Amino acid sequence: MQRRQASKTPNQPLQVHDKNQTDLSAWRKGGRIDPEKSVQNHQSPNNQKNDSQQDSLEQALSYFEKLQDRVSLKKNSVLQKHLTTVESIALQRGLPPEGIDVLLNVALSGKLADTVNTRLLKSLIPASVIPETSVVSSVSWLCVSKCSGNVQLLFLRWLITMFDFIDHKEQLHALYGFFFSFLQDEKMCPYVCHLLYLLTRKENVKPFRIRRLLDLQAKMGMQSHLQALLSLYKMFCPELVTITLPGKMKTYFKNSEGPWKAAINTIRQRNQQNSPLSQPLFLGTAQLQSRKRKWNTQLIIPASSTNKNNLKEDTEKKHVCLYSTNESLPVEQLQTFSQLLQNIHQLEFPSQMGSVLTNPLLLHYMNCIKDESVYLRLYYWMGQTLQEECTWYVADNNRHEEFKDFLENVYKAECFLQEGFSSCEEFLCKSLPLWDGFCCRSQILRLVSWIHPNSFSEMKSHLYDPLAQLFFTSSLYFKCSVLESLKELLQNWLNWHVIHLDSESDSQVHSLNTTLSGLVNVVAELIHFVGWISTAALRLENNSTFFLYFVLDFYETVCDMYLKYNLPLLIMPPPGVFYPALLSMDSVSLNQLCYIMYRYRTNLVAAKENELSKKKILQFKFSSQTYQEYNQYITAMVGCLWTSSAFQKDVHPQGLRMDDELLKKTTVQEFKNSFNIVYHPAMMGYALLFLQQAWPDDTTLNFSLIKGKKWNWYLEYLYAQGLNGLKVFIESSINRVSQSSHSKAGD
């Protein structure tokens, strides 16, 4: 065992939590784990058992290392014993780097039967890291064809699965051409494409490789793995790849079906129970047997860091040239935002793009450098993970929290980047019809709010119908959550429009006009959809004040789209929303409606002035129906709150107009005044308090005393209570519409 101890890779204990590589989450957060303290803190009464296992593993590794001739598994009790020892310890604790080094060479050297080699490869579960030198040495065995094709295939699947655990990848990148040569093997081609997809850099894209991929595509047909590699090549060098490739993201590669991921996660969970310091790299493990695959995979967010010792050595070596413009900088060496700015054009992204989600520095990079290859890699990984790990495809309650946390990380990344991911949009299209409205509710609805307007026209049928079905059959709180999500969706679209509008030049006026027309149509459809479901829901929920707040909150954004977001569109709320708000018994709702109508008036006046002045070339005229509907609503509001003539002057088809004879049959005294600012059910509490303060000795509570100067005093009292919406509405509309009526009321 002296050769292993003298290896370049330092000897590491078997326990996962004894190496910082397993604490990748802590590294990203700036934490450091001291291996010596970790060992001391986790000593257990089972030390003797651990020492016995350590000795057994050492004996097994020594046996496999000294093998010279081909050995048969049958009638060989020694081989069976050591093979069982390796399998048992690997599943319980994982194997150290030097153990993986020995077993890789044995499995690929052809000294043992395929059955043994397969069992050895399936036992290669790392406790910490995998030395790059071990992988390179193993790849060299592929050159001499000592092992069978099935073993080579299993090795490639293992390499893809364990890609994040390899401590360095520079030498692997140097073998890019060697791996590329294996594309001619039809069985290995999908896995080789997957591995090349992880390794590809811009300098790897060459014309002869593109021609080779096109020849393979002509021979095999439109294979997804070939399209994946060609798409990546086209992102790096669009001038070299001139063919048209499918624009929609799809699942390019199948997940590796080996048992390694589940076994690694089991080890981590077991060790985490004994150590609060251990940070799991994997979010969870699947316990139920999948119908789709033999081996379940787990929800993984790959880490972007490397081995702590190697990182320290590399940092010291490159400290002088950290800001050199001639070398690429691996993301593992980024510690501060200033380093990111200094090296932003030399940054080398991790091969597994999932690590971007929880790394703020990498998200900053994506915001600053619009590298399509980065987005392509991220979308592939995310789309595959979302499809494979969606918890309501397979009834696995144990994975609910894992998937929920993953969706939360995706949403936070979208908020950071201020844009949605296309892979999430595709996931929502496929999953919403199957969604029960309960699992991961908050996360799903927040992901809906980041759907891009350009893709919404294609997926609206996949969104509106499932949401409407869940909306009408779910609780009041679910309805409110849906409205909140759709409001955020509208705000994100409007913000996108403002940014896009500012970035357009004068030479792009025609394209901007086309884009604007499409956005106007999509926004209008969304507003009409919200109006429809809100009208129905208010009836179902008996005009719930709580729900009405969310409805009016949505229309607070709608009423200001023209001035605040420069979008030439205004849509009035439907009567099923307007009249319940006008007649609401809650002063907050009435005040909110007054503010909304004030903003509608301000926007409509500004639009009319711009239309008359003809100063803007790109001017979308509002329809006369919008102005007509606004005038009908404003007449009803003034008739209710001020002139006490709503029952006579409301001309809206669904309005309050009623004959006097019918009103008299209600036996309500002073029915004309029933909804002015004194007698309105939402305002009567304020009127009562005003009377008590103005006439403290009068116990008759005569509301008719509020007239003349007292009327103006009452208005000032209402304004002092924080009813600013009512104030701006009266000052902007009522004083102009019915000044004479106000004077009559004073008399």
Side-chain angles (χ1 to χ4, degrees):
M1 303 304 292
Q2 292 179 355
R3 188 188 68 83
R4 291 196 303 275
Q5 293 175 356
S7 175
K8 293 181 180 180
T9 303
N11 190 17
Q12 302 177 28
L14 294 177
Q15 288 184 337
V16 175
H17 55 261
D18 289 343
K19 281 304 293 181
N20 190 63
Q21 174 64 16
T22 63
D23 297 308
L24 297 178
S25 300
W27 182 89
R28 288 197 299 268
K29 297 178 181 179
R32 293 292 183 267
I33 304 299
D34 188 343
E36 296 182 0
K37 292 182 179 179
S38 180
V39 173
Q40 295 174 1
N41 291 336
H42 301 102
Q43 294 294 333
S44 66
N46 297 324
N47 281 341
Q48 293 181 353
K49 180 180 178 181
N50 293 336
D51 291 341
S52 175
Q53 290 182 344
Q54 179 81 17
D55 294 338
S56 299
L57 180 61
E58 290 288 327
Q59 294 174 10
L61 294 178
S62 178
Y63 170 81
F64 284 114
E65 185 180 21
K66 294 177 181 179
L67 279 178
Q68 297 296 331
D69 301 323
R70 187 177 181 88
V71 180
S72 175
L73 180 63
K74 294 181 179 180
K75 299 180 181 179
N76 192 328
S77 58
V78 178
L79 174 57
Q80 292 178 358
K81 172 188 174 183
H82 291 312
L83 182 58
T84 303
T85 298
V86 169
E87 289 177 327
S88 176
I89 295 179
L91 291 175
Q92 291 179 11
R93 305 168 59 182
L95 298 176
E98 60 271 16
I100 291 178
D101 182 39
V102 170
L103 296 179
L104 268 177
N105 281 284
V106 173
L108 299 176
S109 64
K111 297 178 181 179
L112 300 172
D114 278 3
T115 304
V116 181
N117 293 331
T118 300
R119 290 174 63 178
L120 286 177
L121 285 175
K122 288 185 177 182
S123 301
L124 295 181
I125 303 163
S128 55
V129 296
I130 300 173
E132 183 186 28
T133 54
S134 300
V135 177
V136 174
S137 176
S138 304
V139 171
S140 66
W141 283 108
L142 303 181
C143 303
V144 295
S145 301
K146 290 287 186 179
C147 55
S148 66
N150 290 334
V151 173
Q152 292 180 11
L153 203 63
L154 185 62
F155 169 70
L156 284 178
R157 289 165 52 193
W158 175 85
L159 185 57
I160 293 169
T161 305
M162 300 299 175
F163 197 82
D164 285 325
F165 291 91
I166 302 174
D167 56 1
H168 289 289
K169 300 182 180 70
E170 286 304 318
Q171 296 180 31
L172 272 182
H173 281 292
L175 295 174
Y176 190 91
F178 173 78
F179 290 120
F180 194 89
S181 65
F182 280 89
L183 288 175
Q184 60 188 357
D185 190 312
E186 291 189 10
K187 290 185 178 180
M188 297 180 67
C189 185
Y191 299 101
V192 173
C193 284
H194 195 166
L195 181 59
L196 292 174
Y197 192 95
L198 300 175
L199 289 171
T200 298
R201 298 172 176 171
K202 187 172 184 179
E203 58 266 25
N204 299 127
V205 182
K206 304 294 183 183
F208 74 90
R209 288 178 178 148
I210 296 174
R211 288 194 297 269
R212 180 59 180 158
L213 289 175
L214 293 177
D215 291 342
L216 287 172
Q217 185 170 264
K219 178 182 177 182
M220 302 180 182
M222 296 290 287
Q223 300 295 325
S224 60
H225 49 272
L226 294 175
Q227 292 179 22
L229 204 52
L230 282 170
S231 299
L232 188 59
Y233 280 12
K234 189 168 186 176
M235 289 299 177
F236 280 124
C237 300
E239 71 280 0
L240 297 180
V241 185
T242 57
I243 66 170
T244 302
L245 295 170
K248 257 193 168 183
M249 287 299 301
K250 59 193 299 185
T251 303
Y252 287 138
F253 309 110
K254 295 181 179 179
N255 278 350
S256 299
E257 297 181 356
W260 303 291
K261 290 182 179 179
I264 291 174
N265 195 62
T266 302
I267 293 172
R268 293 192 186 284
Q269 287 186 340
R270 184 181 298 119
N271 288 331
Q272 186 185 11
Q273 294 175 359
N274 301 324
S275 171
L277 300 176
S278 178
Q279 298 291 335
L281 172 64
F282 298 85
L283 298 184
T285 181
Q287 300 295 337
L288 290 185
Q289 185 71 14
S290 173
R291 296 180 182 177
K292 184 177 180 182
R293 316 169 278 206
K294 180 179 179 182
W295 297 97
N296 284 320
T297 57
Q298 290 69 241
L299 188 54
I300 305 171
I301 295 184
S304 61
S305 61
T306 61
N307 180 269
K308 177 181 177 181
N309 296 330
N310 294 328
L311 174 62
K312 183 177 180 181
E313 294 172 4
D314 290 347
T315 305
E316 292 174 353
K317 291 178 181 178
K318 295 188 177 183
H319 178 73
V320 178
C321 58
L322 185 60
Y323 303 118
S324 170
T325 57
N326 299 323
E327 296 187 22
S328 61
L329 179 71
V331 295
E332 294 88 356
Q333 296 186 17
L334 281 182
Q335 300 291 335
T336 63
F337 185 73
S338 60
Q339 288 182 0
L340 172 67
L341 296 179
Q342 291 287 345
N343 298 276
I344 197 165
H345 294 293
Q346 289 78 43
L347 190 62
E348 176 189 337
F349 248 61
S351 297
Q352 289 282 4
M353 291 303 299
S355 58
V356 173
L357 290 181
T358 54
N359 192 318
L361 291 178
L362 298 185
L363 292 174
H364 274 302
Y365 174 86
M366 292 184 65
N367 253 340
C368 298
I369 305 297
K370 297 301 181 182
D371 188 346
E372 292 296 331
S373 65
V374 172
Y375 284 90
L376 181 64
R377 288 172 179 265
L378 181 62
Y379 291 165
Y380 152 67
W381 174 83
M382 188 181 301
Q384 186 181 44
T385 305
L386 287 169
Q387 178 179 349
E388 297 291 336
E389 305 299 338
C390 182
T391 53
W392 50 86
Y393 290 154
V394 179
D396 187 351
N397 295 329
N398 294 330
R399 298 169 60 188
H400 171 77
E401 291 301 323
E402 306 161 13
F403 190 64
K404 181 178 178 181
D405 292 339
F406 174 69
L407 294 181
E408 190 71 27
N409 286 326
V410 173
Y411 171 73
K412 290 179 180 178
E414 289 183 330
C415 292
F416 191 99
L417 297 173
Q418 288 295 293
E419 62 178 314
F421 298 130
S422 61
S423 50
C424 283
E425 296 171 0
E426 185 176 353
F427 163 72
L428 291 172
C429 281
K430 295 179 179 179
S431 64
L432 281 179
L434 305 174
W435 184 42
D436 60 2
F438 177 77
C439 181
C440 306
R441 175 191 298 176
S442 176
Q443 289 73 28
I444 292 295
L445 291 178
R446 287 193 289 183
L447 288 178
V448 167
S449 67
W450 281 109
I451 297 176
H452 197 276
N454 289 345
S455 57
F456 189 80
S457 57
E458 301 178 2
M459 63 175 299
K460 60 185 179 183
S461 60
H462 301 282
L463 176 68
Y464 286 157
D465 293 342
L467 272 185
Q469 292 177 11
L470 290 171
F471 185 86
F472 293 131
T473 57
S474 298
S475 66
L476 171 65
Y477 299 100
F478 179 83
K479 294 182 176 68
C480 296
S481 299
V482 170
L483 284 186
E484 181 68 17
S485 174
L486 296 179
K487 185 198 76 169
E488 293 178 359
L489 175 64
L490 176 61
Q491 288 179 336
N492 289 334
W493 285 356
L494 296 174
N495 290 331
W496 175 87
H497 167 65
V498 172
I499 296 173
H500 184 73
L501 193 65
D502 293 340
S503 63
E504 294 287 348
S505 61
D506 295 336
S507 61
Q508 296 172 305
V509 168
H510 179 71
S511 62
L512 176 60
N513 194 19
T514 304
T515 305
L516 184 60
S517 176
L519 180 64
V520 167
N521 292 335
V522 172
V523 171
E525 290 176 351
L526 175 62
I527 296 173
H528 287 309
F529 174 74
V530 172
W532 170 61
I533 62 174
S534 298
T535 299
L538 282 170
R539 295 173 183 172
L540 291 173
E541 301 295 341
N542 297 320
N543 295 327
S544 166
T545 300
F546 183 69
F547 178 73
L548 184 59
Y549 168 80
F550 287 89
V551 177
L552 295 178
D553 193 40
F554 177 84
Y555 280 97
E556 274 197 37
T557 302
V558 175
C559 69
D560 237 352
M561 292 190 301
Y562 181 75
L563 288 179
K564 190 173 181 180
Y565 299 99
N566 204 16
L567 185 72
L569 177 68
L570 279 180
I571 298 177
M572 302 300 298
V577 171
F578 173 79
Y579 284 102
L582 178 60
L583 304 180
S584 172
M585 300 183 67
D586 180 63
S587 60
V588 174
S589 299
L590 181 62
N591 182 68
Q592 203 172 1
L593 177 65
C594 289
Y595 176 78
I596 290 172
M597 295 305 295
Y598 160 71
R599 293 308 303 171
Y600 269 120
R601 181 185 185 281
T602 305
N603 280 258
L604 287 171
V605 169
K608 198 67 175 178
E609 292 176 352
N610 288 334
E611 182 181 339
L612 295 175
S613 63
K614 297 181 180 180
K615 290 181 179 180
K616 294 187 177 181
I617 300 176
L618 295 173
Q619 182 65 46
F620 284 64
K621 295 182 179 180
F622 294 148
S623 66
S624 58
Q625 181 181 357
T626 303
Y627 292 100
Q628 180 182 0
E629 196 167 11
Y630 169 79
N631 289 332
Q632 290 174 347
Y633 284 165
I634 205 70
T635 300
M637 286 191 69
V638 171
C640 277
L641 301 177
W642 197 262
T643 62
S644 301
S645 58
F647 298 117
Q648 292 78 31
K649 294 186 177 181
D650 191 351
V651 295
H652 195 281
Q654 301 180 38
L656 302 175
R657 185 181 182 87
M658 286 185 281
D659 294 334
D660 288 347
E661 295 182 0
L662 180 61
L663 290 170
K664 290 178 181 178
K665 292 181 180 180
T666 63
T667 67
V668 176
Q669 298 180 357
E670 302 292 336
F671 58 82
K672 292 184 178 181
N673 301 329
S674 297
F675 292 101
N676 66 19
I677 58 175
V678 175
Y679 292 93
H680 194 291
M683 308 301 295
M684 190 170 290
Y686 291 105
L688 179 62
L689 293 175
F690 175 76
L691 287 176
Q692 291 176 347
Q693 293 183 23
W695 294 276
D697 298 332
D698 189 353
T699 59
T700 59
L701 299 178
N702 186 3
F703 291 101
S704 62
L705 294 176
I706 305 177
K707 59 182 180 179
K709 292 183 179 180
K710 309 296 189 303
W711 180 276
N712 293 330
W713 293 352
Y714 178 59
L715 283 180
E716 295 298 330
Y717 174 78
L718 293 178
Y719 300 161
Q721 303 306 308
L723 300 177
N724 294 325
L726 179 67
K727 177 181 179 181
V728 294
F729 173 77
I730 291 177
E731 291 178 349
S732 63
S733 299
I734 292 182
N735 287 340
R736 292 179 173 85
V737 174
S738 55
Q739 185 67 37
S740 59
S741 299
H742 183 191
S743 300
K744 292 180 181 179
D747 296 339

